[in-house]
Amino acid sequence: MQIIEIFKSLQGESSYAGLPCVFVRLAGCNLRCVWCDSEYTFKGGSRMALDEVMQEVQRLSPNGGLVEITGGEPLLQEREAVPLMERLIAAGYKVLLETSGERPLDRVPPEVVKIVDVKCPDSGEGETFRVENLEFLTSRDELKFVIAGRRDYEFARGFLQEHNLSEGVGGVILSPAFRKDATGSRDVSHCLLDPQLLAEWMLADGLDARLGLQIHKFIWDPALKGV
Ligand code: SF4
């Protein structure tokens, strides 16, 4: 499979935020979100066999733990990504999959925690989520909405109400979008939407969701890769 990088860091998002995690970042994405901080994944990378990826994960985290399969859009390489997830699970790892939900989720092994990043309108990729995927979400999985403004917030709120999702999935996260060229200071000035405003909207509506910050962007320089 085509791999951009494999590294160990702290999980920055989701309800697993703060835990040590090995990231396997696959190359390629079929979307072009305007605030994408992973454009370096669109091309390049190195061809690695499944065995090589497994060896690298085991070297970085020999005693099990969390592994996130991410990208790009990892399910563009589903033919190899699914066997990789199966092998990781068989080897005792807890596997997270970060995906936009634009690709079918039916072949993802049931043990995998799917973190599905439903694109909101201001991403420029709204309406790409495949609604049929909702039937493959379980109480183990998490839905994420990256929010750049009020329009995105209302989209997320409407989506949750329409599909009654607070009960069907393990968690719902609303996360302020981050400026893709952010560098230097590690503070909320780089957020496209002030987290305080998002918090006020969520509280006013009594939304059954979690406000998420990408904690790796507050721990390290937001421009740093491989963290
Ligand atoms: S889906 Fe992810 S990797 Fe692809 S463009 Fe959007 S943010 Fe970037």
Side-chain angles (χ1 to χ4, degrees), residues 137-177:
L137 298 183
T138 70
S139 57
R140 181 184 292 119
D141 300 322
E142 301 186 4
L143 275 184
K144 181 175 78 171
F145 297 84
V146 177
I147 309 288
R150 183 72 195 183
R151 184 166 72 138
D152 283 354
Y153 173 75
E154 289 178 5
F155 166 82
R157 186 184 60 187
F159 190 98
L160 295 173
Q161 284 164 350
E162 181 184 349
H163 301 292
N164 195 21
L165 282 174
S166 305
E167 290 166 18
V169 292
V172 176
I173 301 152
L174 270 59
S175 182

